Amino acid sequence: MKPRVLLTHPLLPEAMDYLASQVDLELATKEIILPREALLARINDKQGLLCFLTDVIDREVMDRAPELKIISNCAVGVNNIDLKYAWSRGLLVTNTPDVLTEATADLTLALILATTRRLIEADRFCREGRFRGWKIDLFLGQELGGKTLGLIGFGRIGRAVARRARAFNLRVIYHDPNRQEAHLEQELGVEFRPLDDLVSEADIISIHASLTPESRHLISRERLRLMKKTAVLINVSRGPIVDEKALVEALKAGQIWGAGLDVYENEPAIEPELLELDNVVLLPHIGSATHETRRKMCFMAINNLLRGLRGERPNNLVEPNS
Ligand code: GLV
């Protein structure tokens, strides 16, 4: 008998066909948001769960599924899963690291450029038929060369952004609970800073940390006050790392110059006032959204799931202290 698996949302078609050929598959919903009652009702007899960052997999969900062996998250971030409870129950939890590093780093640079050079504002201006000709002060932005990029979080994605930053002649400083060894810092051309020093020194701050109780509101009202008036904040990691209300205030007061966001504190809701501001670029959580990467994420999540169901060690196990 094939193992029973709950897939919370559709995968890319090719991946879904493959998964359906390997397991007894139930798709929970075709909607963007899976109603919690549907998740709770459908998980009950499943041995495997393939889910996404939009699904909250907590104690109640796990308790409904006495036969559950593995939770395979089709995302690198696992803040949507109560890891401690899953581990205490002996459940395997997996994610999809590495395959999305380059795509997310590309998007970070795209957001940095879109924000500092006001690309979206300028595009809107053209579409509204307002371009009347070249002008000396039309859409003046911020130049990258010689500026300082401050990376908060220096894991795979932070390091991939640092590599790209060199091509733009940016100086890179970083903060991470795990400081790199001196020779690696030298190799990557980056310097470590305590968090508050980074925040006050950087011209562009870009967040690449995971969401944990410690990183929630790391960019607080107080830290926003430490930023330069000309500085830009970029977030492609998780929304709750930034106090979004405080960010709105800082942007409105001209306390910082701009922001580029791919993630939000109460996703998919966006602070309504952000929508009114010209000095923000807003994207709908598309950091890893390339054909290549999303295909790899789907198959990686499936392979993790199948290995776990067969009693083998999945390749991308999320373990305590990993
Ligand atoms: C996307 O945000 C992911 O965690 O994969």
Side-chain angles (χ1 to χ4, degrees):
M1 234 176 43
K2 288 179 176 172
R4 289 182 297 279
V5 167
L6 184 67
L7 171 65
T8 54
H9 303 267
L11 292 162
L12 293 179
E14 181 194 355
M16 206 143 103
D17 290 348
Y18 174 62
L19 181 60
S21 73
Q22 301 296 306
V23 300
D24 177 358
L25 186 64
E26 181 172 343
L27 175 62
T29 185
K30 286 191 177 162
E31 303 302 317
I32 291 191
I33 304 288
L34 168 61
R36 183 150 176 93
E37 310 77 61
L39 173 62
L40 291 171
R42 291 184 172 157
I43 188 82
N44 59 335
D45 61 343
K46 304 298 186 291
Q47 286 129 2
L49 173 65
L50 202 159
C51 57
F52 299 82
L53 58 95
T54 44
D55 305 311
V56 176
I57 310 299
D58 56 13
R59 176 185 284 249
E60 191 185 9
V61 174
M62 293 180 231
D63 281 348
R64 290 286 177 103
E67 293 179 60
L68 195 63
K69 289 187 186 157
I70 175 158
I71 301 167
S72 170
N73 210 34
C74 190
V76 67
V78 283
N79 55 289
N80 57 314
I81 302 171
D82 183 341
L83 291 175
K84 282 202 181 113
Y85 191 65
W87 293 328
S88 77
R89 287 229 359 223
L91 296 177
L92 302 175
V93 178
T94 60
N95 67 345
T96 58
D98 300 314
V99 289
L100 46 65
T101 300
E102 304 299 321
T104 309
D106 286 350
L107 190 91
T108 306
L109 263 299
L111 254 186
I112 291 175
L113 288 165
T115 308
T116 54
R117 297 302 298 271
R118 305 172 61 186
L119 297 190
I120 311 301
E121 246 185 293
D123 175 276
R124 214 178 293 134
F125 176 85
C126 289
R127 289 171 198 271
E128 288 168 359
R130 291 162 59 199
F131 181 35
R132 306 263 186 267
W134 189 93
K135 198 161 162 268
I136 196 81
D137 61 351
L138 193 58
F139 287 108
L140 300 185
Q142 308 258 5
E143 191 134 341
L144 295 188
K147 297 272 168 59
T148 299
L149 172 64
L151 299 173
I152 298 182
F154 205 62
R156 290 172 288 251
I157 298 172
R159 293 196 293 268
V161 172
R163 287 201 305 275
R164 283 158 177 73
R166 297 177 82 161
F168 288 90
N169 202 19
L170 280 156
R171 198 174 132 249
V172 182
I173 56 179
Y174 79 96
H175 179 81
D176 191 285
N178 301 313
R179 186 169 175 175
Q180 301 286 315
E181 286 174 29
H183 72 93
L184 278 174
E185 288 184 354
Q186 224 165 17
E187 215 171 276
L188 296 166
V190 298
E191 289 169 35
F192 179 85
R193 291 284 185 280
L195 185 56
D196 287 345
D197 293 1
L198 178 143
V199 169
S200 50
E201 185 178 342
D203 297 296
I204 300 149
I205 296 178
S206 190
I207 307 173
H208 303 284
S210 16
L211 176 62
T212 61
E214 294 73 42
S215 66
R216 185 172 293 271
H217 281 196
L218 198 71
I219 299 297
S220 58
R221 182 166 279 109
E222 293 69 38
R223 289 223 166 87
L224 284 161
R225 285 205 189 102
L226 294 179
M227 285 176 67
K228 292 182 184 172
K229 268 193 133 181
T230 48
V232 163
L233 178 71
I234 304 292
N235 191 6
V236 299
S237 57
R238 286 293 181 267
I241 297 179
V242 176
D243 180 340
E244 206 168 283
K245 282 199 187 327
L247 174 63
V248 168
E249 284 167 26
L251 287 163
K252 280 171 72 178
Q255 204 178 302
I256 67 171
W257 195 78
L261 307 174
D262 186 39
V263 290
Y264 305 90
E265 189 162 358
N266 299 303
E267 228 168 280
I270 301 178
E271 264 307 309
E273 283 180 286
L274 279 177
L275 305 174
E276 309 295 324
L277 295 173
D278 277 335
N279 52 348
V280 206
V281 175
L282 304 171
L283 301 180
H285 204 149
I286 54 170
S288 62
T290 65
H291 289 288
E292 296 88 342
T293 288
R294 287 284 165 88
R295 184 180 181 282
K296 286 182 198 158
M297 286 170 68
C298 287
F299 281 98
M300 187 175 239
I302 294 174
N303 288 333
N304 286 331
L305 177 86
L306 296 178
R307 286 186 73 97
L309 288 171
R310 285 197 297 261
E312 295 164 13
R313 184 186 161 84
N315 293 333
N316 310 104
L317 205 53
V318 180
E319 295 180 281
N321 305 319
S322 62

